[in-house]
Amino acid sequence: MNRISKYIYTGAIAASCIAALPSCKKSFLNEDLITSLNTQDFTTPTGIDNLVIGMYQSLKFHFNYEWAYTTTNYGTDEFWVGGDRTMQMWNSYDATLNSQTANVADIWDNMYANINSANIVIDNVPKYYGDGANKNTRLGEAYFMRAFDYFKLVKKYGGVPLKLTQSTSLEYEFPRSSAKDVYAQIISDFTKANELLPSTPAQTGRITKWGAAHFLAKAYLFRASEINNDWNSDTKQADLQNAGTYAEAVINSGAHTLATNFSDLWNFTAVDGANEKLSEVILAAQFSNNTTTQGRYGNQVHLYYPSVYQNIAGMVRDIPGGREFQRMRTSDYLIDVYDRVNDSRFWKSFKTRYLCNNPSGAPKWTAANAPHPDSVNKAKFYGGQESILYIVNSAGDTRYTSANIGLRSPWMFVRYFNGESASYLGVHGNYEASRYPGLSKFADGSRNSVASQFGQRDGILARLAETYLIAAEAYGRLGQQDKALTYINKVRDRAAYKDGEDRSAYVDGGISYKVNTVANTAAFVSYSDKNTYYESNNIPVAVTNTLNSMHINNFSDILNSTKEFYTQVGAGSDAEKFIAFILNERSRELAGELMRWEDLARTKTLLKRATAFNNEAKPTDPKHYLRPIPQTFLDIIRQNGAPLIAEQTQNMQNTGW
């Protein structure tokens, strides 16, 4: 990756990130603080280039701090609140979620800051850039960024103020535009970006026409979705066709291909390593290992998914296990939506096994549970041996009781004990708010210390598997079932275990977590990369090395399935069943990738699915399909030169908030 040095523009007009791009350097986003820039600096090709590069910093915003998960994953079917309830209001939808709640304004403020930078570029390139070779690319990048940020805003808040020119003085009047008008602008901007951007990037991490096409397809799909049914009837069919067409353009371009193995996406070996160069990745926020200059932007998503292990005898917190903020507790739905025998994505997405890293603290056998008299008072396990197992079994499993798990060497966390016919984590079995199989997609073993919050791996914003699912949904909604099935099967065929594949192997953050010993507290016998596939499924190793396809041969198999939770979500018609299936498939492929709330809100399935599958979120008010407009914005804007009165404030606010 080529070095980008970032400058911070902190003038009164906007907080924009500016950067310069020296060539032939191997590093990315080295940040040098400079506060002396002003708008005059953006009236030269070099200044405009710097401003455009600075806009890429905004992509990192989506992987930082609490807003990354609170506004995207809480309050849905996939995740519940873990042992730390700091931001529980985003999941429970209780009265403390309002226009003043933490994170409500963060997205709003940051998107508009970057929109102003995009407006400067769009205004200034025609005036000051001349006929340089990069003129179209700079315009394309600016149109993409503006569309990307408005797309984020409309998905969260509905209609928002459209500001399409740069601010050159303090402004207070910002009337809201309709969602219809905002979507029209988004599609126009993404279309221009698609036309102007190159097919291949000049530097790793830059946006291409295929990135614009992916998001253009997604914008068309969102505009055609149920949340816009009160105004999208005239454009819906054309939008769905366009969603399919642009998704197919990306798929057929040859610029991007699916990774061979689903685990390749998460096998993070090193900063700028092989998995960060996969062709499947269409756009990623670029993070680096330059910790001295990273400022506020390190990838922090790795913090929120792990369950607690540090207080279990024989374990201490270390780099491999992660710093467990335990915010995102894997739901029963997210466990059960997978075919856990044949679908490799479950075992390549979740951590079910830990190894002892504190042998001096390991528990000892007692006379009551020792397998042999000679074992009494000896450690149950040693450094590098398995110390924690999460058994992800199903109802009807008779193998485990609260008594016999104590006869095993590792600590055993069992989903279903003998005789249990239902499971909600923490009620049955011995899973609990702090103990669950945590999502491992974002695990980051490259951190420099146990306490470090800032990870260094890139944050994926778009990948080709989602493009396939966009095409599938668009054509399925249009009734073109064979086309939809083709794209569904491309994703599922990749997901299925292959003949001879080791079903106990998993990624769990990649190789770097095993070899980084900066803060490890024990000398490890080994760092195994196995999960609990065999034991959880009660399948002997000898009979598992056969091909089990997840290929769907007939569209009717989707509609007639008894395993897709159609009854629980009230899906009766074929159209409703198809949407339910697509949402389930998006869970299986994209679980935890910071987009679930948006998918459930746009399909207007949020209330039903949260009620059915979330252990505490039972939203009934349609207001929850949108977020509240931030109070900080409403308090400062004006109408006709005067601050808003109460009635005007309420008219600006989303209904019900």
Side-chain angles (χ1 to χ4, degrees):
M1 296 180 182
N2 292 36
R3 165 176 276 181
I4 290 182
S5 299
K6 189 190 76 172
Y7 304 86
I8 308 299
Y9 167 48
T10 57
I13 297 173
S16 302
C17 299
I18 327 303
L21 179 64
S23 60
C24 304
K25 298 286 187 179
K26 292 298 292 178
S27 182
F28 193 58
L29 296 179
N30 284 339
E31 301 171 5
D32 304 312
L33 185 63
I34 293 179
T35 59
S36 61
L37 299 181
N38 57 57
T39 54
Q40 195 62 32
D41 290 283
F42 311 137
T43 60
T44 67
T46 299
I48 292 170
D49 285 345
N50 293 343
L51 180 55
V52 169
I53 295 170
M55 288 194 297
Y56 280 87
Q57 290 282 347
S58 71
L59 298 179
K60 297 161 73 174
F61 165 85
H62 302 281
F63 299 89
N64 282 113
Y65 301 101
E66 307 280 352
W67 58 72
Y69 73 91
T70 57
T71 64
T72 56
N73 285 337
Y74 262 172
T76 70
D77 46 9
E78 290 185 350
F79 294 97
W80 303 343
V81 179
D84 190 309
R85 298 184 60 82
T86 301
M87 305 299 288
Q88 67 78 30
M89 71 288 293
W90 288 95
N91 184 71
S92 67
Y93 300 104
D94 68 18
T96 61
L97 179 61
N98 54 53
S99 63
Q100 301 181 69
T101 303
N103 301 160
V104 168
D106 291 302
I107 293 173
W108 183 280
D109 293 344
N110 280 270
M111 294 306 96
Y112 274 113
N114 203 50
I115 286 167
N116 191 61
S117 294
N119 286 337
I120 293 171
V121 175
I122 292 168
D123 286 353
N124 286 9
V125 164
K127 299 175 185 176
Y128 306 114
Y129 207 86
D131 294 321
N134 293 323
K135 180 178 181 179
N136 285 346
T137 300
R138 296 297 166 261
L139 269 177
E141 288 170 312
Y143 279 120
F144 177 92
M145 289 293 187
R146 189 167 74 179
F148 183 89
D149 293 336
Y150 271 123
F151 193 28
K152 185 74 170 181
L153 288 169
V154 76
K155 288 184 290 186
K156 297 296 184 186
Y157 306 101
V160 295
L162 275 175
K163 184 70 170 65
L164 303 177
T165 58
Q166 61 181 296
S167 295
T168 57
S169 62
L170 292 177
E171 298 178 40
Y172 295 97
E173 307 256 349
F174 296 99
R176 286 186 69 175
S177 298
S178 67
K180 182 177 182 179
D181 288 343
V182 176
Y183 267 108
Q185 187 63 49
I186 290 166
I187 287 171
S188 174
D189 282 354
F190 275 141
T191 300
K192 290 176 182 175
N194 177 248
E195 294 168 350
L196 292 166
L197 288 169
S199 297
T200 56
Q203 290 90 25
T204 300
R206 281 194 181 271
I207 303 157
T208 67
K209 70 184 294 89
W210 309 120
H214 171 93
F215 281 101
L216 183 53
K218 192 168 182 175
Y220 275 121
L221 181 64
F222 268 68
R223 188 166 73 169
S225 293
E226 287 74 8
I227 196 170
N228 299 317
N229 274 355
D230 59 341
W231 55 264
N232 69 4
S233 59
D234 291 341
T235 59
K236 180 173 292 191
Q237 295 300 302
D239 283 352
L240 292 172
Q241 185 60 57
N242 281 325
T245 297
Y246 279 102
E248 285 181 321
V250 180
I251 292 166
N252 297 329
S253 69
H256 298 280
T257 56
L258 290 177
T260 303
N261 192 317
F262 183 76
S263 68
D264 294 344
L265 290 158
W266 319 114
N267 188 20
F268 177 55
T269 56
V271 175
D272 300 345
N275 95 302
E276 300 207 327
K277 299 174 183 177
L278 288 171
S279 175
E280 179 166 340
V281 178
I282 297 171
L283 179 65
Q286 304 291 303
F287 291 90
S288 79
N289 55 2
N290 192 329
T291 57
T292 60
T293 59
Q294 67 189 0
R296 67 184 302 201
Y297 286 125
N299 189 338
Q300 299 186 67
V301 179
H302 64 89
L303 297 167
Y304 304 122
Y305 296 95
S307 59
V308 172
Y309 63 92
Q310 64 172 313
N311 58 5
I312 295 178
M315 299 295 295
V316 294
R317 178 185 281 172
D318 63 5
I319 291 177
R323 186 174 175 184
E324 67 273 51
F325 276 27
Q326 49 165 330
R327 302 285 207 273
M328 303 301 299
R329 179 182 172 197
T330 307
S331 74
D332 263 350
Y333 158 79
L334 192 52
I335 291 175
D336 288 331
V337 76
Y338 292 92
D339 170 357
R340 296 190 304 278
V341 173
N342 300 310
D343 193 337
S344 73
R345 290 174 295 190
F346 178 83
W347 303 102
K348 294 168 181 175
S349 298
F350 294 90
K351 183 174 179 64
T352 59
R353 190 172 188 260
Y354 291 76
L355 303 178
C356 173
N357 65 358
N358 184 26
S360 64
K364 297 181 178 180
W365 293 109
T366 67
N369 61 22
H372 188 276
D374 292 344
S375 300
V376 175
N377 292 324
K378 292 183 179 179
K380 283 190 168 186
F381 44 77
Y382 299 94
Q385 294 182 326
E386 60 186 15
S387 56
I388 302 172
L389 292 183
Y390 280 95
I391 303 301
V392 190
N393 59 348
S394 299
D397 190 341
T398 61
R399 291 174 293 167
Y400 303 100
T401 67
S402 56
N404 71 22
I405 62 170
L407 304 177
R408 296 283 298 274
S409 294
W411 295 98
M412 300 285 291
F413 295 95
V414 178
R415 189 170 181 232
Y416 285 97
F417 284 138
N418 180 31
E420 291 189 331
S421 60
S423 173
Y424 279 92
L425 307 187
V427 178
H428 302 277
N430 61 340
Y431 288 12
E432 58 187 52
S434 296
R435 309 266 191 255
Y436 51 87
L439 189 79
S440 60
K441 285 181 175 180
F442 301 103
D444 195 336
S446 68
R447 295 176 300 117
N448 292 333
S449 70
V450 171
S452 175
Q453 293 184 207
F454 286 169
Q456 301 168 359
R457 65 186 300 172
D458 293 346
I460 298 175
L461 290 160
R463 58 186 179 90
L464 191 64
E466 189 194 7
T467 318
Y468 275 106
L469 293 177
I470 290 170
E473 182 177 343
Y475 287 122
R477 284 176 176 267
L478 285 168
Q480 300 179 34
Q481 298 176 350
D482 289 344
K483 263 191 157 182
L485 201 55
T486 296
Y487 294 120
I488 291 168
N489 278 328
K490 288 292 291 187
V491 175
R492 290 175 66 88
D493 289 348
R494 194 267 298 272
Y497 277 113
K498 305 305 183 290
D499 192 16
E501 184 175 355
D502 181 359
R503 293 168 180 252
S504 69
Y506 77 142
V507 175
D508 198 28
I511 294 170
S512 64
Y513 90 98
K514 304 171 195 173
V515 299
N516 187 332
T517 58
V518 172
N520 289 342
T521 56
F524 294 95
V525 175
S526 67
Y527 248 122
S528 174
D529 59 352
K530 305 296 182 181
N531 58 34
T532 64
Y533 170 89
Y534 296 124
E535 182 161 1
S536 290
N537 290 316
N538 196 19
I539 298 175
V541 173
V543 301
T544 59
N545 288 331
T546 57
L547 181 63
N548 289 272
S549 176
M550 291 183 13
H551 195 88
I552 300 172
N553 294 315
N554 298 292
F555 199 82
S556 61
D557 293 341
I558 291 174
L559 304 180
N560 296 326
S561 174
T562 60
K563 300 178 180 180
E564 296 292 337
F565 308 109
Y566 295 148
T567 300
Q568 291 93 322
V569 300
S573 69
D574 286 354
E576 291 170 336
K577 289 180 179 179
F578 175 69
I579 295 303
F581 172 83
I582 282 292
L583 290 172
N584 292 343
E585 196 63 35
R586 286 182 69 86
S587 279
R588 290 183 278 258
E589 180 67 29
L590 304 167
E593 296 181 41
L594 310 179
M595 60 183 79
R596 189 59 174 179
W597 182 89
E598 294 171 356
D599 278 331
L600 300 191
R602 60 131 175 140
T603 55
K604 297 195 78 170
T605 60
L606 176 67
L607 303 187
K608 286 184 178 180
R609 294 183 77 98
T611 300
F613 301 126
N614 196 293
N615 65 334
E616 61 182 296
K618 308 300 178 186
T620 58
D621 195 326
K623 75 177 185 179
H624 291 297
Y625 289 129
L626 295 174
R627 303 304 195 185
I629 303 297
Q631 194 63 43
T632 50
F633 170 74
L634 297 175
D635 287 344
I636 200 170
I637 63 170
R638 301 175 184 176
Q639 286 186 14
N640 299 320
L644 303 188
I645 61 174
E647 182 180 0
Q648 292 170 325
T649 298
Q650 195 58 52
N651 289 338
M652 285 285 288
Q653 184 56 270
N654 281 325
T655 302
W657 290 102

